[in-house]
Amino acid sequence: MNTVEVQGHTPTSLKALLWRFHFYVGVLVAPLLILTSFSGILYVFAPQIEDVVYARFLRVKPLSSQPALDADGQLAMFRQSSPEAQISVFTPSFSPERSSTVTFTKGGGKHTGHEGHDSHGGESAPVYTAYLHPQTGETLGILTENARFKLWIKRFHKTYMAGENGRILTELGTSWLMVLLITGFLLWFPNKASRVAGVWVPRLRGASRLRWRDFHSILGVYLLLITLALCFTGLTWSRFSGNYRRSFQKAIGQVSVFRITPPESDSVGGTPISLDQAAKTAEAVGAAIPYRITLPQGKDGSYGIQTFNDPPFTESLTVFVDQYSGKVLSKKGRGEAPPIARLLGMGVALHEGSL
């Protein structure tokens, strides 16, 4: 009976079987893992890539002779050029060299702009983003949101552009990668704790096959924990494992505070306050720059001011402001979330490279 040499030892039949299992599983899932890894790397660097690809929309030349328009002035200019737009979100530029953005639809589609909501499930029209010069209000360009590089590569990472079947494939690939990591660790585990060459340091002398095997096993061990963390955090939002996670989270009362319905205004009627007033109210209670402003949906809706890109993940905040009185109706921060919800949220940030 032929045996397979692993780490310089003659393995038992069980170890030989484990090696063959590890090898064949790796061969079968390698194409999926390559696609997932490559698209994941591109997604992590999507902000930098978009800065180059969409530079003509994202970057503006400051005009020294003209002050910046306030949020309401910029929206008024946009409404003049696009009267059919149904605006849902306005994101101020916060920098004279960056554009402001307006998220809108042209048909009956709805886009709440609040985290945790399904912003596409009930839409009958695509969502667009318009880029505005903060000083003139000029529309620099309009992009279909789903066609943006960041969202396109995110869909590819999740589905391989194959819909639900693609989501199943990505979940299978990630699940089997965890099996590969565990079996690889068992195969690597040294028989002699004092051994260094071939266990902690690759052997550079000898056959090239030996060097490649050492690099494969040692690099895999050094990256084991972070790779397992990426697998686990990805599975918590996958097709089947994600459903189990959501059901479990709901059953134990650990749902994220951001999965909330925007509160209705206390008083309906009168003249709505401006976007700038709503933003200043939110800033007064802790909303930090940068943030996006969700416009009230209907006569009884409220303004939603949501911070993003905060360095400490737990400091992100959402403030809802009455569109008539300017009263703070709700203030929710990630730090107020239940422990498991907060941990899962930080796992997503880790997975996306934004923690």
Side-chain angles (χ1 to χ4, degrees):
M1 176 179 177
N2 293 331
T3 59
V4 181
E5 184 182 350
V6 181
Q7 295 295 93
H9 301 284
T10 302
T12 63
S13 58
L14 178 61
K15 200 162 189 178
L17 179 63
L18 185 64
W19 186 91
R20 288 187 175 91
F21 178 77
H22 179 82
F23 174 79
Y24 288 121
V25 169
V27 169
L28 289 173
V29 302
L32 299 179
L33 299 181
I34 291 171
L35 288 174
T36 302
S37 301
F38 184 67
S39 59
I41 291 171
L42 290 177
Y43 179 77
V44 168
F45 290 99
Q48 290 78 12
I49 294 172
E50 288 197 333
D51 266 353
V52 174
V53 175
Y54 306 128
R56 65 189 187 278
F57 299 149
L58 297 172
R59 300 181 183 276
V60 299
K61 292 183 178 180
L63 305 174
S64 57
S65 60
Q66 187 169 346
L69 292 171
D70 60 17
D72 297 279
Q74 293 179 53
L75 276 188
M77 293 291 293
F78 176 71
R79 285 193 171 103
Q80 287 181 15
S81 61
S82 302
E84 77 286 359
Q86 299 179 14
I87 301 172
S88 57
V89 180
F90 175 76
T91 305
S93 67
F94 299 114
S95 169
E97 297 180 352
R98 304 290 289 191
S99 59
S100 303
T101 65
V102 175
T103 303
F104 66 99
T105 58
K106 293 182 179 179
K110 295 181 180 179
H111 182 265
T112 65
H114 298 298
E115 183 179 342
H117 286 260
D118 184 1
S119 61
H120 52 77
E123 288 182 9
S124 58
V127 178
Y128 300 91
T129 296
Y131 298 84
L132 311 180
H133 195 297
Q135 291 175 284
T136 66
E138 174 192 0
T139 300
L140 305 174
I142 296 176
L143 293 175
T144 304
E145 194 67 0
N146 281 338
R148 275 180 50 204
F149 174 80
K150 183 176 182 178
L151 296 183
W152 182 88
I153 199 64
K154 183 177 183 178
R155 288 201 310 277
F156 185 91
H157 182 71
K158 292 174 63 176
T159 69
Y160 305 137
M161 308 307 286
E164 283 300 304
N165 291 332
R167 290 194 69 187
I168 294 171
L169 282 176
T170 58
E171 186 168 2
L172 282 173
T174 304
S175 301
W176 279 106
L177 175 56
M178 298 181 76
V179 174
L180 284 172
L181 291 169
I182 294 170
T183 55
F185 176 77
L186 293 175
L187 289 168
W188 165 87
F189 198 81
N191 291 341
K192 296 182 179 179
S194 60
R195 186 176 174 184
V196 174
V199 176
W200 299 106
V201 177
R203 290 166 287 190
L204 302 179
R205 296 180 180 180
S208 61
R209 180 182 179 186
L210 183 66
R211 291 197 301 271
W212 280 112
R213 187 181 65 196
D214 283 356
F215 276 116
H216 173 86
S217 59
I218 294 171
L219 187 61
V221 167
Y222 286 147
L223 298 177
L224 178 64
L225 292 180
I226 186 62
T227 309
L228 280 173
L230 290 174
C231 289
F232 179 78
T233 53
L235 286 174
T236 57
W237 299 93
S238 61
R239 173 68 175 83
F240 296 104
S241 300
N243 285 340
Y244 291 131
R245 186 270 306 167
R246 281 184 284 272
S247 298
F248 173 74
Q249 196 174 350
K250 185 176 180 180
I252 62 174
Q254 294 283 304
V255 179
S256 170
V257 296
F258 281 91
R259 292 188 173 276
I260 55 177
T261 301
E264 294 182 353
S265 294
D266 288 342
S267 55
V268 178
T271 303
I273 64 174
S274 66
L275 267 73
D276 288 286
Q277 287 176 285
K280 288 178 181 177
T281 300
E283 288 180 13
V285 295
I289 293 172
Y291 51 74
R292 60 178 65 90
I293 306 171
T294 302
L295 275 63
Q297 302 299 304
K299 293 182 179 180
D300 56 354
S302 56
Y303 285 104
I305 294 84
Q306 182 179 11
T307 64
F308 59 94
N309 290 343
D310 283 332
F313 174 78
T314 54
E315 290 186 9
S316 295
L317 186 71
T318 294
V319 179
F320 289 103
V321 177
D322 191 302
Q323 68 167 306
Y324 300 103
S325 67
K327 173 185 174 183
V328 175
L329 301 175
S330 173
K331 174 187 172 184
K332 297 289 185 180
R334 289 188 189 275
E336 304 171 38
I340 292 180
R342 189 161 62 247
L343 183 63
L344 287 169
M346 294 180 69
V348 174
L350 169 68
H351 190 89
E352 294 183 341
S354 60
L355 182 60

